[in-house]
């Protein structure tokens, strides 16, 4: 009889754990891509066909060979659930992915290159936990934006031209939050794939208390292979140093460098 009691106790415990796992919210990754734009951004011009910020289909950071949409379409672990064309004028295309083996959603948005200022504004708002973005997927509500576990900016480093102070009210700073809110912010991650992003994005992001995952130290090409390497490592629960190595290795592979580009990537804010 004791044997059966132990069995039923174990079974009850297992069912309880299963019920908790079913109630757990999925992880959400929110990626904001400012489309490359020769006309509206202070960048070194790229060929016209891939530098039109109003043409996501061919854009360097979205529809080109190593753009986010094209590259992730080839990654078997990510299934496209929805493709949307929002009516807000800023976002030209929006793709919602579901991981094939993990309870993870990825929201990727292609912003009109003319509205790079709005892209940065939204990214910092999301990083601050101050702007919601909800999506309905098969009657399931997915909370991204301010509630995303990982927020990623991809594109030109617009903070080279504009002050971060334009985007960050004093009332948003980490020290103004409750203890519970501070801990929640520390559990979230931000990444910026743009030239010299550690230098320019450290001031706003560090004041928000969000944890850096990947920032950059030099000029670089913010293409999707590095982003994919970062997300895969993060979802596998790897240490930040391992994530950095995998991002640097992917970057070197596609840029045909002789060794991992560890000099380009960092996992910490500047001091």
């Amino acid at each position: 009889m004791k044997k059966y009691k132990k069995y039923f106790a174990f079974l009850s415990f297992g069912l309880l754990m299963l019920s908790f796992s079913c109630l757990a919210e999925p992880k959400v990754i929110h990626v904001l891509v400012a489309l490359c734009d020769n006309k509206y951004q202070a960048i070194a011009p790229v060929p016209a066909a891939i530098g039109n910020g109003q043409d996501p289909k061919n854009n360097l950071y979205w529809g080109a060979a190593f753009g986010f949409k094209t590259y992730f379409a080839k990654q078997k672990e990510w299934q496209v659930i929805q493709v949307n064309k929002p009516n807000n004028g800023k976002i030209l295309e929006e793709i919602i992915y579901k991981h094939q083996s993990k309870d993870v959603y990825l929201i990727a948005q292609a912003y009109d290159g003319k509205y790079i200022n709005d892209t940065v504004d939204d990214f910092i708002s999301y990083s601050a936990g101050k702007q919601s973005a909800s999506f309905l997927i098969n009657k399931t509500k997915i909370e991204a934006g301010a509630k995303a576990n990982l927020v990623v900016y991809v594109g030109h480093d617009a903070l080279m031209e504009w002050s971060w102070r334009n985007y960050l009210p004093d009332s948003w700073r980490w020290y103004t939050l409750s203890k519970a809110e501070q801990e929640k912010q520390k559990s979230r991650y931000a990444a910026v794939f743009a030239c010299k992003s550690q230098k320019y994005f450290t001031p706003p992001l560090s004041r928000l208390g969000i944890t850096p995952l990947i920032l950059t130290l030099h000029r670089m090409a913010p293409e999707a292979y590095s982003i994919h390497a970062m997300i895969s490592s993060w979802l596998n629960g790897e240490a930040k140093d391992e994530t950095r190595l995998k991002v640097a290795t992917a970057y070197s592979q596609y840029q045909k460098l002789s060794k991992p580009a560890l000099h380009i990537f960092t996992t910490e804010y500047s001091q």
Side-chain angles (χ1 to χ4, degrees), residues 39-51:
K39 182 177 180 180
Y40 294 107
Q41 297 171 11
I43 62 173
V46 300
I50 58 175

Side-chain angles (χ1 to χ4, degrees), residues 29-254:
I29 302 164
H30 198 147
V31 179
L32 295 80
V33 181
L35 296 184
C36 180
D37 199 310
N38 288 334
K39 182 177 180 180
Y40 294 107
Q41 297 171 11
I43 62 173
V46 300
I50 58 175
N52 181 348
Q54 292 70 56
D55 177 22
K57 182 179 179 181
N58 298 298
N59 195 268
L60 178 62
Y61 300 150
W62 192 255
F66 300 122
F68 194 93
K69 178 181 180 179
T70 301
Y71 189 86
F72 269 73
K74 299 174 184 177
Q75 308 311 310
K76 294 181 180 179
E77 75 270 32
W78 290 104
Q79 177 186 1
V80 175
I81 302 297
Q82 285 184 15
V83 179
N84 305 320
K85 295 190 181 300
N87 296 319
N88 62 10
K90 298 186 304 182
I91 300 170
L92 300 180
E93 190 169 36
E94 175 180 276
I95 305 176
I96 301 174
Y97 303 84
K98 176 72 171 64
H99 199 280
Q100 295 279 38
S101 61
K102 303 178 189 295
D103 193 15
V104 180
Y105 288 91
L106 192 160
I107 315 297
Q109 296 174 314
Y111 280 70
D112 185 328
K114 181 179 180 179
Y115 297 105
I116 188 171
N117 185 35
D118 295 274
T119 319
V120 173
D121 194 18
D122 286 348
F123 171 72
I124 291 179
S125 295
Y126 295 158
S127 297
K130 297 296 181 181
Q131 187 174 317
S132 62
S134 301
F135 302 87
L136 192 63
I137 303 169
N138 298 327
K139 298 183 179 180
T140 299
K141 188 177 183 181
I142 302 300
E143 298 286 356
K147 295 186 178 180
N149 303 93
L150 169 61
V151 188
V152 185
Y153 173 84
V154 180
H156 170 60
D157 189 340
L159 294 188
M160 289 180 173
E161 291 89 50
W162 304 316
S163 171
W164 59 268
R165 298 181 188 277
N166 296 338
Y167 307 97
L168 187 61
D170 284 341
S171 60
W172 287 9
R173 300 192 182 192
W174 189 76
Y175 65 80
T176 68
L177 303 176
S178 68
K179 291 292 185 182
E181 290 172 324
Q182 288 179 350
E183 289 303 312
K184 186 174 182 180
Q185 271 296 90
K186 284 165 62 177
S187 71
R188 303 176 67 229
Y189 290 85
V192 183
F193 288 84
C195 295
K196 300 181 179 181
S197 65
Q198 187 202 51
K199 176 180 178 180
Y200 292 96
F201 278 82
T202 286
L205 294 180
S206 63
R207 285 167 169 79
L208 298 176
I210 193 168
T211 299
L213 186 57
I214 288 291
L215 299 170
T216 65
L217 299 166
H218 299 282
R219 295 188 179 277
M220 52 85 69
E223 295 180 318
Y225 39 80
S226 298
I227 304 159
H228 177 263
M230 177 193 70
I231 290 174
S232 297
S233 179
W234 180 70
L235 288 179
N236 287 334
E238 295 173 347
K240 289 171 71 173
D241 284 348
E242 183 66 19
T243 299
R244 177 185 175 225
L245 176 61
K246 290 191 173 177
V247 170
T249 300
Y251 190 85
S252 294
Q253 176 187 343
Y254 283 89

